[in-house]
Amino acid sequence: MLGAGPRDLAISGGRFVDALSDPDVVIDARGLVALPGLVDLHTHLREPGREDAETVLTGSQSAARGGYTAVHAMANTAPVADTAGVVEQVWNLGREAGWTEVVPIGAVTTGQQGTQLAELGAMARSAAGVRIFSDDGLCVADPLLMRRALEYVKTFDGIIAQHSQEPRLTEGAQMNEGAVSAELGLPGWPAVAEEAIIARDILLAEHVGSRLHVCHLSTAGSVELVRWAKSRGVRVTAEVTPHHLMLTDELVRTYDPLYKVNPPLRTQADVDAVRAGLADGTIDVVGTDHAPHTSEHKCCEWTAAAMGMVGMETALAIVVEAMRDFDFDFADVARVMSTRPAEISGLPEQGRIETGRGANLVLVDPEAEVRIDPAEHATMGRNNPFTGFTVSTRIVDTFLYGHRVVAGSALADPHPIARGGTWIA
C-alpha cells in the first residue's frame, strides 16, 4: 500500500474514513499498491461531433481501466467547447456515463480561430465550473491575445494551458527536425518552435502574474525554460506525456503512423531531459494527451495520417518503465499522476488518500507481466504506440467515490450517478 508498509483502508458514504467495525464488503489487496485515483489534465474525448473516434462514454471507460478517477476533456470538439452550453454538455455526458469525473476544458478563443477570446467567464460560471482553458491542437500564437487571456482568467484564478507551437516555424512539419528528418526527407519541426512560445508565455505570465500551464512539453530546452521560470517564481506548471518519456524520432524510420504525434517524438537527449525534469519536479505532471483516431486516419501513408496517440489505459505502466533509472517510486507516481494534477485543477476530492476526502482510489499490481494489446482496451482508438510492449504494472481495481468501477482489471459497474445519484452519498 502507499505509505509506510501495509495498512487497511476504510470507505463509507463515498469517503475515506478512519475505520469500520462491521464492513459490508472486504477486499483483499495484499501485494497491491494503493494510489489515489489518477487525474489526467489532458485528454481528447472527441464528443461532441467526432463520435466515430471516441465518445465520452468510451473515453470514460478507458480512463477507469487506466486507474483514472478524473480526466480533463480538451476543447477541440465539433462544435468547439467555447461556450457554456458545450462545456455543460460534455460535463453532463461524463456524469451520465459514471465511470470517471469528466472535467471540461474550455477553448481560449472562439472556434479555436485565434482571433478573439471565447466566453471564458460564462464557461467559468457554468455548471461545469471551467477553470482551465486551452486551444490545444492549435497554439494561441497572437501575443496580445495570449496576454488578454492570461489577464482575464486571473480574475477567477483560472489557467491558460498552452499548446506551444509557433505556427510559422512548423508549416508542413511531419516530424522532429534533426538528423532523422534530414535522412528521410520529411519536413521537420524544430525544437525552437516549441521553446520560443514557452519562453514568450513565461514572460507574459510573469508580467501579468497569472497561471500558465505548458502542455505536452517535449524538448530539453523546454525543460530548462520551465526550470528557469520556476526559479523566478513565475506561476507556471508543465506536463509531459508517457510517449515523450519513452519514444524517440528513430521510430519514424518505420513510417508507421502510430508514431506520428503533435508535438513530434524527439531525440534520445530530449527523452533523457524530460525524464530528469519529471524526476526533479521541474515537470509537474504526466498528461496522456489521449488522442484516438479512426483507422482510416491512421492506417494510411505517413504524410496523410493524423497526429495523435491513445494512452490512458497504459499510462501508469509506461511511466513506471520510463522512470526505472531514477529514484522514482510509487509515491512519486502518485505525485505526478494524481496529487499534483488535482491541485493544479482545483479538485479537492481527488488526489489524496486521506480521511474525509472522496474515496477515489486505484489498486495496482506492481509485479504483473502484461503485454499491451489495444484490441483489449475500452477506448475506440487502436493507435497505441506501445502495442506489443511488455510492462510490469497492472491496474487491478478502480474506485470512484467508493464505488468499484473496475474489478480485476475489467469494467464492473458505473457509479450510481449514472442513474441519477450523487458522487458522494
Side-chain angles (χ1 to χ4, degrees), residues 184-370:
L184 298 181
L186 289 173
W189 175 339
V192 70
E194 174 176 303
E195 296 158 8
I197 295 295
I198 292 175
R200 182 203 74 178
D201 289 349
I202 284 170
L203 294 174
L204 286 173
E206 182 177 41
H207 179 70
V208 173
S210 190
R211 298 175 67 188
L212 169 70
H213 181 72
V214 179
C215 294
H216 44 47
L217 177 155
S218 68
T219 77
S222 296
V223 176
E224 287 305 312
L225 285 166
V226 172
R227 185 175 286 123
W228 173 80
K230 289 188 172 187
S231 74
R232 292 173 61 87
V234 181
R235 302 178 70 193
V236 59
T237 54
E239 77 187 24
V240 65
T241 70
H243 44 275
H244 288 114
L245 285 169
M246 182 69 84
L247 308 176
T248 75
D249 61 353
E250 289 291 335
L251 289 166
V252 181
R253 295 183 187 277
T254 67
Y255 289 101
D256 187 337
L258 270 180
Y259 305 120
K260 189 176 182 180
V261 68
N262 181 340
L265 300 179
R266 303 292 189 178
T267 67
Q268 186 62 53
D270 293 310
V271 169
D272 293 341
V274 296
R275 286 177 178 175
L278 187 65
D280 68 20
T282 299
I283 300 173
D284 299 82
V285 302
V286 173
T288 64
D289 195 7
H290 175 83
H293 290 290
T294 58
S295 59
E296 59 263 35
H297 289 122
K298 273 296 190 181
C299 297
C300 56
E301 66 271 23
W302 178 275
T303 55
M307 295 183 176
M309 303 169 169
V310 297
M312 284 193 288
E313 290 171 68
T314 54
L316 186 143
I318 294 301
V319 170
V320 170
E321 299 298 327
M323 300 304 290
R324 285 197 180 279
D325 292 338
F326 293 85
D327 181 15
F328 201 89
D329 60 17
F330 275 106
D332 295 297
V333 171
R335 169 175 54 83
V336 301
M337 299 190 73
S338 183
T339 306
R340 191 71 183 109
E343 290 172 349
I344 291 169
S345 183
L347 301 178
E349 303 293 349
Q350 299 278 355
R352 296 183 184 276
I353 300 175
E354 292 179 352
T355 298
R357 286 186 185 263
N360 297 302
L361 173 72
V362 59
L363 299 179
V364 178
D365 182 350
E367 297 181 357
E369 185 172 304
V370 180

Side-chain angles (χ1 to χ4, degrees), residues 71-84:
V71 298
H72 293 67
M74 281 294 179
N76 59 338
T77 49
V80 171
D82 58 2
T83 66

